[in-house]
Amino acid sequence: MKHSTLFTTTSLGPYTLKSRIVLPPLTRSRSTQPGNIANDLMATYYGQRSSAGFMVTEGSQIEPRGQGYAWTPGIHSAEQVEGWRKVTARVHAQGGIIFAQLWHVGRVSHTTLQPGGAAPVAPSAILAPGVSVFIETSPGVGALAQPSMPRALEREEITELVAMYAQAAENAMAAGFDGVELHAANGYLINQFISAHSNQRDDEYGGSLSKRLRFLREVAQAVADKVGKDRVGVRFAPLFQSTDEARVYLGLVEDDPHGTYIEAIKVLEEVGIAYLSLAEADWDNAPELPETFRVAVRATFSGQIIYAGKYTATRGERVIEQGWGDLIAFGRPFIANPDLPQRIANGWSLNAADPSTMYGGTAVGYTDYPRYGA
């Protein structure tokens, strides 16, 4: 077997994983309209990839205001919960383990995606720079657009949002998921509270880093209380530098990214969640995370650590063997290779992903990628 380190078993909360290969959250925008409902096509897609040791769904908005891209699924309505049951049933029938990623985009949205055409909500009324959203321009047709100017959340709305995350986690368990992951990366709502660039509040949710981490702390604790801390993960994207490359989403580079994220990870360690997922920069020639940061993460967090970001099997093995991480996520390779673990194990060649079919569309570029030898 090639890359045998990736095929050793490990635990994640109450679960035993058959390998250390992860399908990470990957937005594909194939939900049924109207209603943003997971469907049979999505069940086929996830079922095809259930040979992963662990799977996380694409981001699913926890409420209507949480949507920043057309045709992404939600997890706040009864119809959406029922749709996700098709996905979890298919994955479990194949012996897979799958968590739902809970998502709120905050300011990274557009008025056409918001209820009543309202402004997106955010910690502060600061426009999101250098990113794009994806809006429907006519039935079944979409285009990239600049985010709309957000409005600042009222104090009582923040409390309501914490409750919405907890309710979405409960919905996920009702839909048959094995747990949930909080999307706190890529400049979305939780990340917006953490960052001094997007959070200029003067109440208990803004100012010092401790105050900016309060929303993360409250959401993580509320979700852990609802579904059990051993069924909760959190995803960060701790960027140490940015890029001028055009990106749909990216994230925010803090003045002190090492200090900011180690303090954020301490919050998660106190809550006692099962895993931490770190999405590294993945643009062309992007730098790897500093070794000093990886070592500090391991020293700070006692749960499982997932790394993602243009990983090859060889690079992933190195991270595990160095003791920095426990699981490795493969994004684009898993999109194009539903049998990715088998291909890695046997050293088989990989299909290339078609960028033109990433977001929205049909089974083409979604469930029609062939297995090896097919």
Side-chain angles (χ1 to χ4, degrees):
M1 177 186 291
K2 306 283 187 181
H3 306 292
S4 58
T5 299
L6 296 176
F7 292 92
T8 55
T9 60
T10 190
S11 61
L12 183 73
Y15 307 108
T16 298
L17 309 185
K18 57 195 172 190
S19 79
R20 296 168 185 263
I21 296 173
V22 177
L23 172 72
L26 299 160
T27 296
R28 304 304 308 278
S29 296
R30 254 72 169 198
S31 67
T32 293
Q33 303 302 312
N36 297 321
I37 300 166
N39 52 41
D40 290 326
L41 183 64
M42 292 168 62
T44 298
Y45 169 82
Y46 285 105
Q48 288 174 338
R49 289 155 181 78
S50 56
S51 61
F54 177 60
M55 310 172 73
V56 185
T57 70
E58 60 212 276
S60 300
Q61 51 263 13
I62 65 166
E63 61 136 334
R65 296 178 304 175
Q67 184 174 14
Y69 305 89
W71 315 319
T72 54
I75 197 160
H76 53 84
S77 74
E79 295 78 12
Q80 290 165 351
V81 170
E82 192 62 34
W84 278 118
R85 285 197 184 104
K86 298 177 181 180
V87 173
T88 58
R90 188 74 61 87
V91 170
H92 290 153
Q94 300 293 327
I97 296 170
I98 185 166
F99 278 35
Q101 191 188 62
L102 307 183
W103 192 22
H104 197 302
V105 300
R107 68 178 186 169
V108 187
S109 187
H110 192 273
T111 54
T112 60
L113 294 165
Q114 293 292 308
V121 296
S124 301
I126 302 171
L127 191 66
V131 297
S132 298
V133 295
F134 186 74
I135 63 173
E136 185 175 70
T137 54
S138 61
V141 178
L144 293 174
Q146 295 302 304
S148 299
M149 185 69 185
R151 68 167 179 85
L153 286 157
E154 299 293 337
R155 171 64 182 77
E156 59 272 16
E157 290 181 296
I158 298 175
T159 300
E160 293 168 356
L161 276 164
V162 173
M164 287 177 187
Y165 273 100
Q167 182 61 57
E170 186 173 43
N171 292 349
M173 302 309 286
F177 284 103
D178 300 303
V180 297
E181 176 180 291
L182 299 176
H183 197 342
N186 301 122
Y188 298 125
L189 184 63
I190 297 177
N191 194 183
Q192 288 162 33
F193 272 92
I194 294 171
S195 178
H197 301 301
S198 50
N199 182 350
Q200 295 182 4
R201 300 182 69 89
D202 57 8
D203 60 9
E204 64 268 45
Y205 290 94
S208 68
L209 177 56
S210 177
K211 289 183 177 181
R212 299 199 311 273
L213 291 172
R214 178 170 180 154
F215 186 65
L216 169 69
R217 181 181 297 107
E218 290 184 355
V219 171
Q221 189 64 64
V223 169
D225 290 345
K226 183 67 69 172
V227 305
K229 62 185 180 182
D230 59 347
R231 289 175 168 82
V232 178
V234 170
R235 185 172 232 218
F236 288 142
L239 292 179
F240 281 68
Q241 67 181 64
S242 191
T243 177
D244 293 331
E245 181 180 315
R247 310 287 293 180
V248 174
Y249 62 87
L250 185 56
L252 299 154
V253 181
E254 304 308 313
D255 292 340
D256 176 14
H258 181 112
T260 297
Y261 281 98
I262 293 302
E263 288 303 309
I265 293 166
K266 287 178 181 177
V267 169
L268 304 182
E269 176 69 8
E270 291 169 5
V271 176
I273 65 169
Y275 75 85
L276 170 68
S277 179
L278 297 176
E280 298 188 46
D282 67 350
W283 58 82
D284 291 341
N285 301 314
E288 293 192 17
L289 284 172
E291 183 174 333
T292 51
F293 179 71
R294 295 186 194 268
V295 170
V297 170
R298 177 58 91 188
T300 304
F301 188 70
S302 61
Q304 297 285 78
I305 300 170
I306 302 172
Y307 278 100
K310 279 200 172 178
Y311 270 86
T312 62
T314 299
R315 184 181 170 211
E317 274 194 313
R318 175 173 170 263
V319 165
I320 293 172
E321 290 167 356
Q322 290 286 338
W324 299 330
D326 306 287
L327 299 148
I328 305 298
F330 299 89
R332 293 177 186 85
F334 236 138
I335 285 175
N337 299 275
D339 55 343
L340 182 66
Q342 293 91 331
R343 290 179 185 247
I344 290 174
N346 291 285
W348 295 337
S349 60
L350 301 181
N351 300 321
D354 177 2
S356 70
T357 59
M358 289 291 187
Y359 306 110
T362 64
V364 176
Y366 189 57
T367 57
D368 65 345
Y369 284 106
R371 302 177 72 84
Y372 186 79

